[in-house]
Amino acid sequence: MENSSGKLAHWLAFYLCKGLGVKTLLALAQNQPLECLFELNHEQLVECGLSSQIASNLLATDWRQVDYYQTLIAQSDITAINYFDSPLYPPLLKEVASAPLLLFCRGNLELLNSPQIAIVGSRHATPSGLEIAAEFAHQLTLAGLTVTSGMALGIDGAAHKGALAGNGKTIAVLGTGVDVYYPKRHKLLTDKVCEHGLLVSEFLPGTAANGNNFPRRNRIISGLSLGVLIVEAQIKSGSLITVRYALEQNKEVFAVPGSIKNPLSEASHFLIKQGAKLVENVSDILDEVSFSCQNSLYNIEKASTNEPTCEVLCSVGFEVTAVDVIVQRSQWPIDKVQARLLDLELEDRVERVLDGYIRVR
C-alpha cells in the first residue's frame, strides 16, 4: 500500500522508531529521499545526522509489527496520511509545534482541509449547555464551517450531533485508534460521524483509551481549527488544555457566558476576562474568522415536510418510552431501532432521557 509520499510501511517504521520525529525527518529530507534511509548501515545513518541510539532503533525496526499494522489499516478501511503528504495533510496542523507524523483517518478526507471551528466543554454539561453546543454547531455548519470536537460525552457529543442534524460536516479527533469505540455510549454517533464526516487520530489502530492520550488529542483539535468555542467547563478541565493550545497556535478563542452560580461557567468567564470573545450567537464567531465558502446563514434549505411515516418515531410517545417498548411497537430489530433513534435524536425529533426516549415534536 503506497501513497504520494512513499510506502506506508516506511512511514509506519518511522512512526514506531523511538526518538524519531517530524523535526528530524524534515532535516534528513533536505539531503536525500527518506526511503533511502532503510538502505543505510549504522555508520551511514549517523553521518546523515541521526544520533547513535536513533540509528540503532531504526535498524531494529520490527517489520512483522509494521506488516501487522498495514494489514489492520487495510482491513479497517483506514487512510494513513503522513506529514509530507502535501495535498492531504492540513497546512494549519503543520504549524503546530509538535505536529503528528501520521494521521489515521476514516471518512471524508476532504474535510481535513475545510474551514473548521472547534467546540469543546464539560463531559458533565447541563441540559442548557448541551442545547447551546448543538445549536451553535448546527448554525456553524449552515454557514459552511466544519465542526470539530473530541467525541467525549457532554459538550463534544452535543456538538457532533448538532452538526449532523442539518446534514452538516463534523470531524471527531479521537484519543484512541479510529477503529475503537470510546466512549462506548457513542458507538452509534461514531458510526454516523464516520459515515457523514471524518474520524481522525494520531494513534495506531487498536489503541485503547488512555488518560495520557487525550491532552495530545486536544492540540490536534485546536490545530485543525480557525478558532475554539468553549461552552461549559470548569477551570481545571481538559477543555482549558485545548484553549491553551489554541492560544499558543494564535487561534481565536470564543466563550459562551453563563450564570455566575453555575460552576461550569467558570472557564468561560475566566477566558472572557483574559480577552476571549464573548459570543451570544454564531454571527459573533463569523465576524472574527475568514474563510471561503459558498454557503451562508441566509441560504438555508428547509427540510421536506413530505417525508414518509417513520414507524420508530410513531412508536415513541410524548411520555418516557423504553427502547424495549419501541421495539415491540415498531416490530423492528433492536439494532435498527437504535440506529433510527439516533437519527431522530440528531433531527431533534426525540430526546434521550434516563429510561428511554421522549417524542419532541
Side-chain angles (χ1 to χ4, degrees), residues 16-241:
L16 293 167
C17 180
K18 188 174 181 180
L20 185 61
V22 168
K23 186 176 180 180
T24 301
L25 290 172
L26 281 170
L28 293 172
Q30 298 297 317
N31 301 317
Q32 62 184 328
L34 292 176
E35 58 268 24
C36 293
L37 294 175
F38 296 99
E39 302 171 3
L40 306 181
N41 59 34
H42 187 277
E43 183 180 353
Q44 291 169 324
L45 287 172
V46 172
E47 290 177 355
C48 287
L50 290 181
S51 69
S52 177
Q53 184 59 59
I54 295 177
S56 297
N57 293 344
L58 188 61
L59 288 170
T61 297
D62 185 344
W63 292 104
R64 288 180 298 179
Q65 187 181 29
V66 169
D67 289 341
Y68 167 78
Y69 282 116
Q70 278 201 109
T71 300
L72 191 56
I73 286 169
Q75 291 176 343
S76 303
D77 198 23
I78 295 170
T79 299
I81 300 172
N82 68 73
Y83 181 92
F84 295 82
D85 198 345
S86 296
L88 290 176
Y89 198 96
L92 280 180
L93 193 56
K94 283 190 174 183
E95 298 175 10
V96 175
S98 54
L101 175 62
L102 284 175
L103 291 175
F104 301 97
C105 306
R106 292 177 63 204
N108 183 358
L109 297 178
E110 294 180 0
L111 296 184
L112 274 177
N113 289 294
S114 65
Q116 302 164 42
I117 293 292
I119 298 180
V120 298
S122 175
R123 287 175 168 81
H124 308 288
T126 65
S128 175
L130 297 175
E131 181 181 352
I132 289 169
E135 181 61 23
F136 265 94
H138 179 62
Q139 292 295 326
L140 286 167
T141 59
L142 291 177
L145 287 156
T146 298
V147 171
T148 301
S149 198
M151 192 53 79
L153 297 173
I155 296 299
D156 287 18
H160 293 307
K161 291 176 184 178
L164 292 171
N167 294 321
K169 303 303 181 183
T170 185
I171 295 175
V173 183
L174 308 181
T176 65
V178 291
D179 57 340
V180 174
Y181 291 108
Y182 183 84
K184 291 184 178 179
R185 283 171 55 183
H186 277 173
K187 181 180 185 300
L188 291 174
L189 179 60
T190 301
D191 287 338
K192 284 290 182 182
V193 173
C194 185
E195 182 181 356
H196 300 288
L198 180 66
L199 302 175
V200 178
S201 177
E202 68 173 316
F203 302 107
L204 288 164
T207 301
N210 182 301
N212 295 327
N213 292 349
F214 294 98
R216 292 178 57 185
R217 170 205 63 179
N218 293 347
R219 84 189 191 289
I220 299 177
I221 292 175
S222 59
L224 288 171
S225 306
L226 298 171
V228 175
L229 170 66
I230 187 165
V231 179
E232 281 187 340
Q234 292 180 304
I235 291 293
K236 295 181 179 180
S237 72
S239 301
L240 268 294
I241 296 176

Side-chain angles (χ1 to χ4, degrees), residues 234-251:
Q234 292 180 304
I235 291 293
K236 295 181 179 180
S237 72
S239 301
L240 268 294
I241 296 176
T242 308
V243 170
R244 177 169 60 82
Y245 281 126
L247 293 172
E248 292 174 355
Q249 297 159 4
N250 295 316
K251 303 296 180 68

Side-chain angles (χ1 to χ4, degrees), residues 336-350:
K336 290 188 177 181
V337 167
Q338 290 176 324
R340 184 61 182 135
L341 283 170
L342 178 61
D343 289 333
L344 294 170
E345 187 180 357
L346 294 174
E347 296 165 9
D348 291 327
R349 310 290 293 280
V350 301

